[in-house]
Amino acid sequence: AVVSTQSTGEQLLITAYAKALEIIPRQLCDNAGFDAITILNKLRQKHAQGAKWMGMDISSEDIADNFEACVWEPSIVKRNALTAACDACCTILSIDETVKNPNSNYKAPSAMPGMR
């Protein structure tokens, strides 16, 4: 929904970010011994229908409305974790771009002066 209203570059970024966040329920499914593909497809379907509180239910090996099940998580913790992770990624990419910058005029010396 949000992706279709964005430019191509932003679409790629949003899609990659969403795919990265899907690792969380996939890993939870794997750890619990559930069929991750089935659970993720059900979650995607419910989220597309606007059911934003749907999540995994470990007890029933299915999905459930986490709001009705009284599973509340502090959103500020998630927001801070995602912000910190994004900042770390941006820093790594910035350093990587600086190190690999092909337009740099700096030429490293071939050997120390006086040494061969």
Side-chain angles (χ1 to χ4, degrees):
V2 173
V3 175
S4 61
T5 63
Q6 305 298 321
S7 68
T8 306
E10 289 172 339
Q11 285 178 357
L12 291 172
L13 178 67
I14 293 169
T15 303
Y17 200 84
K19 188 174 181 179
L21 290 176
E22 271 192 357
I23 291 172
I24 298 166
R26 179 180 302 278
Q27 191 61 50
L28 288 172
C29 286
D30 290 343
N31 291 351
F34 302 160
D35 181 14
I37 294 171
T38 302
I39 298 290
L40 285 174
N41 283 336
K42 287 180 180 181
L43 278 174
R44 282 188 207 109
Q45 180 184 16
K46 289 294 185 181
H47 289 164
Q49 294 171 351
K52 66 180 181 178
W53 299 110
M54 296 303 286
M56 291 179 50
D57 183 1
I58 301 297
S59 300
S60 67
E61 296 186 28
D62 202 4
I63 61 172
D65 187 329
N66 283 339
F67 191 80
E68 288 180 10
C70 296
V71 178
W72 302 319
E73 301 172 20
S75 62
I76 192 74
V77 173
K78 288 182 181 178
R79 186 175 296 132
N80 287 341
L82 290 172
T83 300
C86 288
D87 289 345
C89 288
C90 289
T91 301
I92 291 169
L93 291 173
S94 173
I95 291 169
D96 189 48
E97 185 177 314
T98 303
V99 170
K100 292 185 177 182
N101 186 353
N103 297 326
S104 175
N105 292 329
Y106 176 76
K107 298 202 188 286
S110 57
M112 293 184 69
M115 308 264 316
R116 288 198 107 184

